[in-house]
Amino acid sequence: MTPNALDPDILRLPFYTDAHRDRARRLAQWCEEQAPLWTELRTDDPDKAVRRALAALGGAGWLDFLAAAEPGSDGDCRAVCLAREALAYAEDLADFAFSIQVLSATPILRHGSPEQRQRYLPGLAAGTLAGAFAVSEEQAGSDVAAVALTAERDGAQYVLNGAKAWIANGTVADVVCVIARTGEGPGPLGLTAFLVPGDTPGLRVREPIEAMAPRPFAHLVFEDCRVPADAVLGRPGRGFVVAMDLLERARVTVGAAALGFARRAADAAQAHVRRRAIYGGVLFDLPTVKFELADMEVQLNAASLLVGRAAWELDQGHRGFAKHSSIAKLHATEAAQRIVDRCVQLHGAAGLVAQSLPERLYRQVRALRVYEGASEVQQLTIAGALDARRAR
Ligand SMILES: Cc1cc2nc3c(=O)[nH]c(=O)nc-3n(C[C@H](O)[C@H](O)[C@H](O)COP(=O)(O)OP(=O)(O)OC[C@H]3O[C@@H](n4cnc5c(N)ncnc54)[C@H](O)[C@@H]3O)c2cc1C
């Protein structure tokens, strides 16, 4: 039996291996069993909620791949996408905790020295350390090359000064991967990635941000924040590459999370219209309502196929994956927004009640069209990758 969070018809496609299918089913089943925990998290403050979600995910072994000696299918893009799909279906904060942990561990996995990997990855995998990835600034959101936070070399140290904005896990992070300006070259050529422990003197939360879907989210300040030279992740001057490599990989997984939220909304809409008595029958009897549900199903299928293709391409090392990753994120997040909105509409007034499922999904899905490349940025990427030969 496949849990509701996943579509068995999609899962059986050759994009996925038996190992992917088995892990995804077990994770979705685990998510169902954790329902009481998810309910409790919604009343915790976001910092505590994320710590608890990380402890549960780490304790159950769902983050083990972050510290595995050999990369296996548990941590490939398809596995991460299926995990985000199942987690987002179950609970936004569970997906958030998982995804930010993967986001902050991936640069260490891909660019870290053996010492850096040994220092951080076991704790991130166990869920005992929380990570964050900080590239955005108030004046450098979509325009990553505009990063202004400086890191100046001073003997055997670097001194960081400046601010980061909108940082997920900013209030709880034990280690922050920071993209800073070191000036090896102009614009994107003058950036370097650093691993900064959360308790480093000079690093502080300027203010926590109360987001429409509660999450630990903050603006950070760095004032004469000193780190040793071995805090550099990768090589000096390669920070833009570290950030872009990460964001390109993460993009398709945002599409997968959108799919989880959207499938939950479509399931809730269908359950509601089948039992809502109206006009001597139920809402489902109305042809226009049937059309709505059919349209949701079409959109879910399209999003699943686009996410599956992009993730499969990334795992195979295909060059075209960046374009297809943008297509998957753009379509899945925009479709999820429409599906969640229609779910609210089909619930009528009941869908507008604070903390009802449709209302929660409505708030939770919105950020996905902005972070890790707004929809318009995806459109530019897609247009930029159009095959010029076809215009001849
Ligand atoms: C929930 C959430 C979590 C986040 N977590 C993190 C994090 O952990 N770490 C981190 O570093 N950052 C994080 N961010 C920041 C996020 O990456 C930025 O918000 C995003 O890059 C957009 O930047 P901005 O908000 O400055 O908007 P801007 O760059 O000012 O863009 C605003 C709008 O302008 C339009 N636009 C922008 N560029 C173009 C373009 N080229 N063409 C056409 N239209 C365009 C889009 O509609 C866009 O939404 C997070 C944001 C959110 C909402």
Side-chain angles (χ1 to χ4, degrees):
M1 269 284 283
T2 302
N4 288 342
L6 303 163
D7 180 340
D9 294 334
I10 298 288
L11 212 52
R12 78 166 67 95
L13 294 174
F15 289 139
Y16 303 107
T17 64
D18 283 343
H20 290 121
R21 294 180 189 103
D22 175 57
R23 179 178 159 87
R25 287 194 184 102
R26 284 188 291 109
L27 175 53
Q29 181 64 41
W30 179 83
C31 285
E32 287 183 6
E33 290 158 13
Q34 300 304 308
L37 173 62
W38 309 145
T39 305
E40 284 176 28
L41 295 190
R42 284 182 218 124
T43 54
D44 282 340
D45 84 77
D47 291 5
K48 184 176 170 202
V50 157
R51 288 265 179 219
R52 290 184 70 188
L54 281 176
L57 288 162
W62 297 118
L63 294 164
D64 281 357
F65 64 91
L66 298 178
E70 292 293 322
S73 69
D74 280 4
D76 66 15
C77 186
R78 286 165 291 174
V80 171
C81 283
L82 290 170
R84 289 202 67 179
E85 200 176 324
L87 290 162
Y89 185 97
E91 168 53 38
D92 174 51
L93 276 161
D95 169 61
F96 175 89
F98 177 87
S99 64
I100 303 304
Q101 205 76 342
V102 175
L103 192 75
S104 41
T106 300
I108 306 177
L109 271 164
R110 289 180 62 72
H111 309 281
S113 65
E115 292 73 27
Q116 289 170 331
R117 293 163 70 105
Q118 188 48 42
R119 180 168 176 190
Y120 296 114
L121 293 178
L124 291 170
T128 50
L129 290 184
F133 180 77
V135 60
S136 303
E137 300 176 5
E138 282 185 14
Q139 299 307 318
S142 305
D143 184 5
V144 175
V147 160
L149 182 146
T150 57
E152 282 183 26
R153 186 81 193 234
D154 181 18
Q157 295 181 321
Y158 280 90
V159 189
L160 277 62
N161 277 293
K164 289 291 175 188
W166 319 115
I167 306 306
N169 272 359
T171 49
V172 295
D174 299 296
V175 55
V176 187
C177 179
V178 180
I179 305 296
R181 184 155 299 283
T182 38
E184 288 77 9
L189 301 178
L191 301 177
T192 299
F194 292 87
L195 293 175
V196 182
D199 59 1
T200 308
L203 164 57
R204 64 179 170 82
V205 172
R206 191 184 89 200
E207 55 179 304
I209 302 159
E210 209 174 316
M212 60 198 277
R215 292 159 177 179
F217 193 38
H219 294 326
L220 302 178
V221 172
F222 295 74
E223 282 166 341
D224 292 331
C225 175
R226 288 180 174 269
V227 291
D230 67 5
V232 169
L233 180 66
R235 283 191 281 124
R238 299 278 292 166
F240 189 75
V241 175
V242 170
M244 288 302 126
D245 174 67
L246 176 66
L247 295 175
E248 273 185 1
R249 286 166 180 277
R251 194 157 288 156
V252 59
T253 78
V254 181
L259 199 45
F261 291 120
R263 184 163 290 127
R264 183 76 187 266
D267 286 355
Q270 196 192 152
H272 175 76
V273 301
R274 283 185 187 278
R275 62 172 180 259
R276 169 68 175 156
I278 197 165
Y279 309 126
V282 289
L283 262 181
F284 185 68
D285 298 333
L286 302 175
T288 50
V289 170
K290 287 199 174 81
F291 295 168
E292 287 276 17
L293 295 184
D295 190 52
M296 287 182 187
E297 185 63 11
V298 172
Q299 296 298 326
L300 288 172
N301 271 263
S304 302
L305 292 168
L306 290 172
V307 166
R309 173 181 70 175
W312 176 83
E313 285 186 343
L314 195 157
D315 289 337
Q316 303 299 315
H318 278 230
R319 282 180 59 222
F321 95 83
K323 173 183 164 195
H324 293 155
S325 196
S326 288
I327 291 175
K329 183 191 186 254
L330 176 66
H331 180 82
T333 57
E334 295 285 338
Q337 186 81 55
R338 281 196 300 280
I339 290 172
V340 170
D341 183 66
R342 297 316 294 168
C343 169
V344 171
Q345 189 73 10
L346 286 169
H347 278 77
L352 300 167
V353 174
Q355 296 304 332
S356 66
L357 177 62
E359 187 268 350
R360 288 202 315 268
L361 291 168
Y362 192 77
R363 284 185 288 106
Q364 292 163 352
V365 80
R366 186 62 186 85
L368 279 63
R369 291 165 59 215
V370 173
Y371 71 73
E372 288 173 36
S375 290
E376 295 80 359
V377 174
Q378 306 308 333
Q379 286 171 314
L380 282 183
T381 305
I382 297 161
L386 289 177
D387 188 346
R389 284 172 308 169
R390 291 164 64 179
R392 285 191 204 129

